[in-house]
Structures are given as structure tokens and as C-alpha cells.
């Protein structure tokens, strides 16, 4: 049996979409206050395979250094300037 991917979700999404995510992944819901706390955010992502976010949390090379399993960052919204795309690419993380 293969291990299900773990996804950190930092936003409220439509119930039908959340059901689809839960069917495929183990979901960790992270409250906005934890996203704003760098150490709590890093701790939640340390064992995650994916991140589904809307808050403008910075995704930096330093954060990615402590997230060895992270493979996908999905940002809901128009802008992703707070995601260090070159660092994500260097870590093998899709944005």
C-alpha cells in the first residue's frame, strides 16, 4: 500500500473541492494565525507533500530547506510574488 500524500491547506475552499482533496490526500488544515507564525508554518510543512494556500505567506529558500517532502505549492489567487520561484525550482517544488 502506498502512502497518501499530505497536503497543508491554509484556506477555506468549497466543500466539494475539499472532499476531492481529502479523497486523494491526508489534509492538514492550518489556521491563518499559524500561517503568520513562521515556526508554526514551517513545522506544519516539514512533513507535507503539498501546500494549498491563499494567504500571502512567504515561501523562501530557508523555509524550503526544512520541507524535504514538499513537491507542490498551489497559490489560489492572481499573484505569487511572495513565493521564491527560483528557490522552489532548486528544491524540486512546482509552483
Amino acid at each position: 500500500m502506498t502512502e497518501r500524500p499530505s497536503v497543508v491547506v491554509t484556506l477555506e475552499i468549497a466543500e466539494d473541492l475539499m472532499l476531492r482533496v481529502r479523497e486523494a490526500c491526508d489534509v492538514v488544515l492550518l489556521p491563518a494565525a499559524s500561517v503568520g507564525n513562521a515556526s508554526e508554518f514551517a513545522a506544519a510543512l516539514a512533513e507535507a507533500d503539498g501546500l494549498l494556500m491563499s494567504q500571502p505567506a512567504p515561501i523562501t529558500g530557508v523555509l524550503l530547506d526544512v520541507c524535504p517532502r514538499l513537491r507542490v505549492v498551489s497559490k489560489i489567487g492572481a499573484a505569487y510574488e511572495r513565493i521564491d520561484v527560483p528557490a522552489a525550482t532548486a528544491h524540486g517544488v512546482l509552483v
Side-chain angles (χ1 to χ4, degrees):
M1 180 176 202
T2 60
E3 184 178 336
R4 289 166 45 97
S6 172
V7 175
V8 173
V9 177
T10 68
L11 67 154
E12 288 188 35
I13 58 177
E15 186 175 329
D16 60 329
L17 179 56
M18 181 59 87
L19 286 173
R20 292 176 67 191
V21 173
R22 287 185 186 278
E23 285 175 3
C25 307
D26 292 329
V27 173
V28 176
L29 294 174
L30 192 64
S34 294
V35 173
N37 180 310
S39 62
E40 288 181 30
F41 191 46
L45 288 176
E47 298 299 320
D49 299 293
L51 170 63
L52 179 57
M53 62 183 272
S54 67
Q55 289 89 344
I59 307 299
T60 65
V62 172
L63 175 65
L64 293 167
D65 285 342
V66 298
C67 304
R69 289 179 47 176
L70 194 64
R71 293 292 171 250
V72 176
V73 173
S74 182
K75 163 80 170 61
I76 305 297
Y80 58 92
E81 67 274 353
R82 294 186 53 105
I83 300 173
D84 185 338
V85 176
T89 301
H91 283 81
V93 176
L94 299 174
V95 176

